[in-house]
Amino acid sequence: MKNQTIVNKLYEEALKARENAYAPYSKYKVGAALLTEDDEIITGCNVENASYGLTICAERNAIFSAVARGKTKFKSLLVVAEGEGLAKPCGACRQVMNEFGDFDVYLANTKGDIEKSTVSELLPKSFGPKDL
């Protein structure tokens, strides 16, 4: 698949996953679509909890689902949320992404705006497995 076709497919899948988000407190629904090294797309959505510390973001949900399936090498991830601005992964998500390498990360909104970044751009001067 061409890169733009992949990004479009990731966007569609992330939008679908976003519909399943459980966000009764923030009302901020987020979807993520992760492309594995073997071209499987694994999705995730945010799931909130009354005990906020137990909430999981869409990005980590997708990555942890991939790991549960034995997938640990990723090509790209797209994250989408509603709003004028683009969805941006939190610090915890950025650190989890960094654990699995420097892959492309697409930040998007439900209006169709998409911006390409990378894990290393989102988390400069990071530390991870390579540092241990």
Side-chain angles (χ1 to χ4, degrees):
M1 274 193 281
K2 289 186 175 184
N3 191 42
Q4 191 57 44
T5 303
I6 292 167
V7 173
N8 290 341
K9 182 66 175 166
L10 290 173
Y11 183 72
E12 291 171 15
E13 293 299 318
L15 283 174
K16 285 184 208 172
R18 183 183 166 277
E19 292 302 314
N20 293 325
Y22 179 76
Y25 307 105
S26 73
K27 310 290 190 248
Y28 187 69
K29 293 184 171 192
V30 182
L34 180 68
L35 183 65
T36 66
E37 186 177 61
D38 61 354
D39 293 327
E40 182 178 351
I41 296 175
I42 299 173
T43 61
C45 61
N46 58 319
V47 180
E48 295 180 349
N49 190 284
S51 176
Y52 286 154
L54 300 179
T55 294
I56 187 167
C57 300
E59 302 92 307
R60 283 182 285 143
N61 194 337
I63 291 170
F64 296 162
S65 292
V67 171
R69 295 179 192 184
K71 315 278 183 178
T72 58
K73 296 189 186 308
F74 311 126
K75 290 182 179 178
S76 57
L77 177 130
L78 186 141
V79 57
V80 64
E82 190 170 16
E84 292 298 315
L86 302 172
K88 293 180 183 73
C90 72
C93 288
R94 293 173 193 218
Q95 183 63 42
V96 168
M97 285 186 250
N98 186 64
E99 183 72 16
F100 298 97
D102 189 18
F103 48 88
D104 291 336
V105 180
Y106 295 90
L107 312 174
N109 62 27
T110 55
K111 293 176 13 179
D113 300 321
I114 301 172
E115 178 182 289
K116 181 182 176 185
S117 192
T118 64
V119 173
S120 62
E121 290 171 341
L122 292 172
L123 191 65
K125 298 183 182 180
S126 65
F127 99 97
K130 63 188 176 304
D131 301 307
L132 301 178

